[in-house]
Amino acid sequence: MLVEPELFGRRKIFTSVEKIDKTNIIEEVNKAMVHHVKNMLEIEYLYWYRRGVQPILEREKEIRPEINNKIVENHADEIVSFKNGYFLTQPAFYISRKEDESTTEKVKQLNEYLYRSGKQIVDNKVVDWFHTVGIGTLIVSPCKNGNTPVKVYALDPRSAFVVYSVNPGHEPVMGINVVMSGEDTAAIDVFTKNKFYRINGGFVGKLMTNDPLTVTANDVTETKANTIGEIPIIEYKYNTSNMGAFESVLPLLDALNNVTSNSVDGIEQFIQSLAVAVNCQFEDGTTANQIRQAGMLVLKSVGENKADFKILSEQFNQSGTQILIDYLYQQILTICGMPSTTKGGTSTSDTGAAVLYRDGWYQADTVARNTGDLFKESNRLFDEIFIKILKEKNLLDIDLNDFELQFVRNETANLLVKTQGALNLKELGLSPEITLARSGVSNDPVADVANSKKYIEAAWGSQKNDLNVEEDIKVDDEVI
């Protein structure tokens, strides 16, 4: 049976302890587990909701229970699928923050190691998780393979989570991964910045049921050094509330399922209309239940009233119901920051940017940009571990300030307006890098300018020529 929890976003788990060691780790893990179990139940519900296990499937009808359609319009999956594809149109990659060729070359090598690590594939899984349940997790691990010095794996947020410090900045204190095995045993892996602990634990209860779920850490069975020196489990989030992409519209999704199911019921009840027999004779032994199963009701006439037999039918107003369905669906799209496919009607005179504004594409892009900023915030923790492993293996020496993560989307959308804007910025005298970035023509202006250097010099003029022109002007002014 599907049990719906109260859903207001996943809880961020904190601890006030400054140092985690063998003396207090069991106590701290058990404290964190109390909050994580609540998150786990909510994540489980959202996970299956996205896959079509929704409350409408538990619907019961008191009147004519034999006609009880349970229609799931799985817009939750539609929302997540769109968000995934729009947010990661192409794999995220690193771009250089400096113009010198040495840094640009190092960033190219960094992207090569990023590709080998499998991080770009893992990003798809992490993004799918946080669009579904609000948070996604991954783990970074050094690898002995020379060609692949770092490996990245996506983790299930029902099992993996991070505990943060209550101090300003909320630095990660513990990374925990719980693996439930058997009927009541659990293996709990805990990472601190300098230690790894394997803990034997147990659990009672089940997910998606009314049975309370409790996970308990019992005793430490293994301790060893954390060679990375950082917490390798990293959490990513969709928004600051740690809510999934469709979580805020769950009541509307349920209402839409209910209206759609009732609409199908209405059609079916019209087709299977009840027959009414007044003062009619039937064969001996015929019961009202038998007649009712045949789609009729028996009414006994009194006195001299004549027998009558007729069909009770009322035409269902589909047009009025469709207006409500369209309204609910439009509200779902608006709240979730998704573009509409019906808002503009079948034909309008709007073109270009007006269509993008009207149909909600700019709103979708705004939400994706906000998510991108939060993604970059979490990804800096990954970057620190990533370049630290590469430095320790003497593969690449690059500073954290030399690069940043870049998302690619809408490269050709409204390209005419972007190029016109770029030309206007060029006329103002801005550099090629600033012009390409501000106009939106390029997602990696530094690299694009470097790759197109001779063509840009031909169009912009070289910096040396520009300086000569300025000197000529000064000389002319002095002569004048």
Side-chain angles (χ1 to χ4, degrees):
M1 180 180 177
L2 189 69
V3 179
E4 182 175 1
E6 294 183 349
L7 298 167
F8 302 102
R10 311 295 75 73
R11 300 156 189 80
K12 193 169 184 177
I13 304 173
F14 296 98
T15 180
S16 59
V17 175
E18 295 290 339
K19 183 180 179 181
I20 303 292
D21 55 29
K22 199 169 183 177
T23 63
N24 61 5
I25 189 169
I26 297 296
E27 179 184 359
E28 290 302 314
V29 169
N30 282 329
K31 287 180 181 178
M33 280 297 174
V34 174
H35 302 288
H36 177 64
V37 165
K38 295 177 182 178
N39 285 342
M40 190 188 301
L41 295 171
E42 296 170 6
I43 291 171
E44 180 79 357
Y45 178 83
L46 293 169
Y47 174 85
W48 288 107
Y49 191 101
R50 186 253 176 113
R51 280 154 182 75
V53 182
Q54 300 180 13
I56 191 67
L57 299 178
E58 305 290 337
R59 186 175 81 144
E60 296 180 357
K61 283 183 63 181
E62 295 182 0
I63 301 174
R64 299 205 71 181
E66 72 278 4
I67 299 179
N68 185 15
N69 291 281
K70 303 172 184 179
I71 308 299
V72 175
E73 284 198 16
N74 200 349
H75 293 294
D77 184 67
E78 175 195 3
I79 292 168
V80 172
S81 297
F82 171 80
K83 294 284 186 178
N84 291 348
Y86 192 77
F87 182 70
L88 284 180
T89 304
Q90 296 181 27
F93 60 96
Y94 293 121
I95 61 172
S96 174
R97 299 182 69 245
K98 299 179 181 179
E99 297 182 15
D100 61 279
E101 294 183 3
S102 174
T103 302
T104 302
E105 185 61 33
K106 288 181 179 179
V107 172
K108 288 182 180 179
Q109 296 179 36
L110 188 66
N111 278 317
E112 180 63 27
Y113 287 122
L114 183 73
Y115 171 78
R116 295 180 189 177
S117 71
K119 171 67 161 54
Q120 294 171 327
I121 297 174
V122 169
D123 282 346
N124 288 323
K125 298 178 182 179
V126 170
V127 167
D128 185 78
W129 271 115
F130 73 51
H131 280 145
T132 303
V133 304
I135 54 176
T137 54
L138 58 78
I139 186 170
V140 191
S141 176
C143 185
K144 295 181 179 180
N145 187 336
N147 293 326
T148 310
V150 183
K151 287 297 291 182
V152 186
Y153 305 94
L155 297 176
D156 190 328
R158 289 171 294 188
S159 301
F161 63 100
V162 178
V163 180
Y164 301 89
S165 170
V166 295
N167 296 325
H170 304 311
E171 291 292 323
V173 177
M174 286 190 295
I176 302 176
N177 187 39
V178 184
V179 179
M180 297 182 182
S181 58
E183 295 183 355
D184 57 0
T185 60
I188 305 173
D189 292 341
V190 182
F191 295 88
T192 65
K193 285 198 172 183
N194 51 19
K195 292 289 184 179
F196 164 79
Y197 301 93
R198 176 151 291 166
I199 299 175
N200 181 36
F203 69 93
V204 178
K206 295 181 180 180
L207 297 174
M208 290 185 68
T209 67
N210 285 317
D211 298 333
L213 179 65
T214 304
V215 182
T216 306
N218 296 326
D219 54 87
V220 178
T221 60
E222 181 183 354
T223 304
K224 59 183 180 181
N226 179 4
T227 57
I228 300 177
E230 302 289 343
I231 297 173
I233 297 177
I234 302 170
E235 283 184 336
Y236 292 75
K237 54 189 178 182
Y238 171 61
N239 52 35
T240 55
S241 301
N242 293 339
M243 298 179 71
F246 60 85
E247 189 172 340
S248 59
V249 295
L250 283 174
L252 294 176
L253 293 172
D254 292 338
L256 188 57
N257 285 339
N258 193 43
V259 172
T260 303
S261 299
N262 286 335
S263 298
V264 178
D265 283 353
I267 296 172
E268 191 170 343
Q269 287 171 175
F270 176 75
I271 295 172
Q272 300 181 23
S273 300
L274 297 175
V276 180
V278 181
N279 202 25
C280 296
Q281 295 292 328
F282 294 94
E283 295 181 0
D284 294 339
T286 302
T287 65
N289 286 334
Q290 291 174 331
I291 298 172
R292 183 179 180 278
Q293 290 174 2
M296 295 187 295
L297 289 175
V298 177
L299 301 178
K300 184 178 180 181
S301 60
V302 179
E304 298 180 355
N305 293 331
K306 294 182 178 180
D308 187 20
F309 184 88
K310 57 185 177 181
I311 302 295
L312 288 179
S313 65
E314 183 67 28
Q315 181 66 44
F316 187 73
N317 186 358
Q318 287 287 350
S319 59
T321 303
Q322 189 60 45
I323 293 174
L324 177 58
I325 291 175
D326 292 342
Y327 169 78
L328 291 173
Y329 183 59
Q330 185 58 51
Q331 293 304 306
I332 290 169
L333 296 181
T334 302
I335 294 171
C336 290
M338 290 180 60
S340 171
T341 57
T342 59
K343 203 170 186 180
T346 56
S347 178
T348 68
S349 59
D350 295 338
T351 58
V355 174
L356 299 178
Y357 275 113
R358 182 199 68 202
D359 290 347
W361 284 98
Y362 279 123
Q363 290 87 331
D365 195 63
T366 299
V367 174
R369 288 178 183 275
N370 291 338
T371 304
D373 291 338
L374 295 173
F375 191 98
K376 289 179 180 179
E377 179 185 5
S378 297
N379 206 72
R380 294 307 275 177
L381 299 174
F382 166 80
D383 295 339
E384 290 179 8
I385 299 173
F386 190 42
I387 64 174
K388 187 174 183 178
I389 295 173
L390 294 177
K391 285 181 180 179
E392 290 178 351
K393 291 178 176 286
N394 296 319
L395 295 173
L396 183 64
D397 186 8
I398 188 170
D399 190 79
L400 198 61
N401 297 320
D402 291 339
F403 61 93
E404 65 177 333
L405 194 68
Q406 181 70 27
F407 298 97
V408 179
R409 71 177 71 91
N410 298 337
E411 283 188 304
T412 58
N414 216 15
L415 187 59
L416 181 61
V417 175
K418 292 178 182 178
T419 52
Q420 185 62 52
L423 291 174
N424 291 338
L425 293 174
K426 175 190 172 185
E427 292 299 321
L428 291 175
L430 298 181
S431 70
E433 291 84 359
I434 295 176
T435 297
L436 295 180
R438 296 284 175 83
S439 64
V441 171
S442 171
N443 286 288
D444 189 357
V446 174
D448 288 346
V449 170
N451 293 332
S452 309
K453 186 175 181 180
K454 64 179 181 180
Y455 302 103
I456 287 178
E457 285 182 353
W460 252 267
S462 67
Q463 185 177 3
K464 182 177 180 181
N465 291 337
D466 291 342
L467 293 175
N468 290 337
V469 170
E470 291 179 2
E471 292 174 358
D472 291 344
I473 292 173
K474 290 179 181 179
V475 170
D476 292 341
D477 288 342
E478 292 175 359
V479 172
I480 293 172

